[in-house]
């Protein structure tokens, strides 16, 4: 696996084993709600599942036990970075096997967590980059106006004062509405993504890839791979040396492709297991004997 070294990443000393960085989207890539499991085998043959998220006292998200075991091993052999569109609060509900990741990307790159705490300098840097885009209030107002009277809109939400999204009834969503929203948003510097029951409107400069590149810079990782299922993950996959996306989701549905990114046939939680297995194998060579956590500096931006 080959990848460009991120700008500003220090060259490792001669003889230093290569360190891999593996970035993974969470929802519908590595973890799955009950509605998204996509199990197609008889109940008696279904894989054993591990609950990795509880919300309001109820189980919410799952992985197969096989995927959970592989992910725990993966975290000991590389820098593993959860990279999610979730807010910090939503991310902290997830309990991945292998323990908390030293670094995590939340709010689609708006927050970089270091040992569970948001790096304020990174967030300030991100917010400065959004100045060229239409303000969030303008986008929120348009979302309300464009969806007024629509019985398909269940909730209006704002994530960490960085972007907006709607929770919708997909069965009643007008067929051209998302495309019309994207056409309105693009000249204003915003991106639109439909993921499950959510329609996201996100500023263009707000990307997972930028935050993951910062983690690579801090840790000295020289090889990267990534996985995701939505158009908001496309930049992350393009920036990686190797990537995967499942047989469901926006990327699969739109026919998106890149030479170094593998489109998997598996769907649902089976795809999640396949992705973790691929990540595990990709990170198997070149990691140092000291383990990736020895490379965790816990530093802040700059």
């Amino acid at each position: 696996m080959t990848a460009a070294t991120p700008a500003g990443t220090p060259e490792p000393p001669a003889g230093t084993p290569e360190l891999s960085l593996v970035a993974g989207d969470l929802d519908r890539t590595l973890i799955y709600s009950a509605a998204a499991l996509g199990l197609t085998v008889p109940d008696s043959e279904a894989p054993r599942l591990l609950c990795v998220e509880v919300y309001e006292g109820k189980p919410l998200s799952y992985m197969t036990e096989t995927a959970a075991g592989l992910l725990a091993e993966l975290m000991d052999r590389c820098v593993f970075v959860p990279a999610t569109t979730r807010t910090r609060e939503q991310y902290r509900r997830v309990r991945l096997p292998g323990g908390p990741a030293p670094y995590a990307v939340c709010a689609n790159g708006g927050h970089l967590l270091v040992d569970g705490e948001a790096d304020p300098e990174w967030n300030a840097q991100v917010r400065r980059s959004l100045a060229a885009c239409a303000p969030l209030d303008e986008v929120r107002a348009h979302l309300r106006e464009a969806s007024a009277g629509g019985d398909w809109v269940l909730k209006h939400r704002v994530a960490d004062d960085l972007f907006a999204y709607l929770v919708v009834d997909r069965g009643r969503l007008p067929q051209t509405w998302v495309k019309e929203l994207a056409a309105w948003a693009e000249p204003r510097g915003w991106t639109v993504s439909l993921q499950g029951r959510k329609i996201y409107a996100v500023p263009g400069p707000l990307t997972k890839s930028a935050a993951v590149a910062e983690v690579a810079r801090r840790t000295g990782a020289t090889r990267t791979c990534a996985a995701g299922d939505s158009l908001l993950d496309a930049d992350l996959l393009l920036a990686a040396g190797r990537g995967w996306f499942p047989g469901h989701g926006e990327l699969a549905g739109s026919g998106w492709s890149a030479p170094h990114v593998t489109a998997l046939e598996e769907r649902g939680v089976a795809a999640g297991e396949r992705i973790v297995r691929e990540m595990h194998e990709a990170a198997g060579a070149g990691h140092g004997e000291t383990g990736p956590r020895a490379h965790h500096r816990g530093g802040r931006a700059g």
Side-chain angles (χ1 to χ4, degrees), residues 161-200:
D161 290 323
L162 289 165
F163 62 89
Y165 64 95
L166 305 179
V167 181
V168 303
D169 181 335
R170 285 289 294 268
R172 292 184 287 176
L173 174 65
Q175 187 173 2
T176 63
W177 196 87
V178 174
K179 185 176 293 186
E180 292 167 0
L181 176 63
W184 178 90
E186 183 177 5
R188 292 166 174 81
W190 285 66
T191 301
V192 172
S193 174
L194 174 61
Q195 303 177 38
R197 299 191 308 132
K198 295 178 181 178
I199 301 172
Y200 291 92

Side-chain angles (χ1 to χ4, degrees), residues 64-275:
T64 69
E65 286 191 349
T66 298
L70 290 170
L71 182 59
E73 293 179 8
L74 177 69
M75 293 181 69
D76 283 333
R77 63 172 60 185
C78 71
V79 178
F80 173 70
V81 183
T84 180
T85 308
R86 287 180 175 229
T87 65
R88 290 165 291 173
E89 180 182 357
Q90 292 167 339
Y91 167 71
R92 287 170 178 146
R93 297 198 304 254
V94 179
R95 295 290 183 267
L96 294 175
Y103 293 97
V105 174
C106 295
N108 211 63
H111 290 290
L112 176 59
L113 304 191
V114 183
D115 291 329
E117 298 298 324
D119 184 326
E121 293 184 24
W122 174 258
N123 180 250
Q125 177 180 323
V126 167
R127 290 183 183 277
R128 287 193 295 270
S129 75
L130 304 185
C133 303
L136 175 61
D137 285 347
E138 178 183 340
V139 175
R140 292 181 65 192
H142 180 79
L143 287 173
R144 290 193 177 277
E145 179 181 348
S147 63
D151 61 358
W152 46 272
V153 179
L154 306 180
K155 297 176 183 177
H156 287 261
R157 291 288 184 264
V158 172
D160 289 345
D161 290 323
L162 289 165
F163 62 89
Y165 64 95
L166 305 179
V167 181
V168 303
D169 181 335
R170 285 289 294 268
R172 292 184 287 176
L173 174 65
Q175 187 173 2
T176 63
W177 196 87
V178 174
K179 185 176 293 186
E180 292 167 0
L181 176 63
W184 178 90
E186 183 177 5
R188 292 166 174 81
W190 285 66
T191 301
V192 172
S193 174
L194 174 61
Q195 303 177 38
R197 299 191 308 132
K198 295 178 181 178
I199 301 172
Y200 291 92
V202 179
L206 190 66
T207 64
K208 296 177 182 180
S209 60
V212 169
E214 174 65 11
V215 177
R217 185 188 72 82
R218 297 189 190 192
T219 59
T222 54
R223 307 188 307 163
T224 62
C225 58
D229 71 297
S230 80
L231 291 174
L232 292 178
D233 297 313
D235 69 285
L236 180 63
L237 296 176
L238 290 173
R242 186 175 177 186
W244 305 269
F245 64 87
H248 61 259
E250 270 189 312
L251 294 178
S254 66
W256 185 91
S257 67
H260 63 289
V261 180
T262 301
L264 302 175
E265 295 182 0
E266 291 87 348
R267 302 168 62 91
V269 73
E273 181 176 314
R274 171 73 183 277
I275 287 169

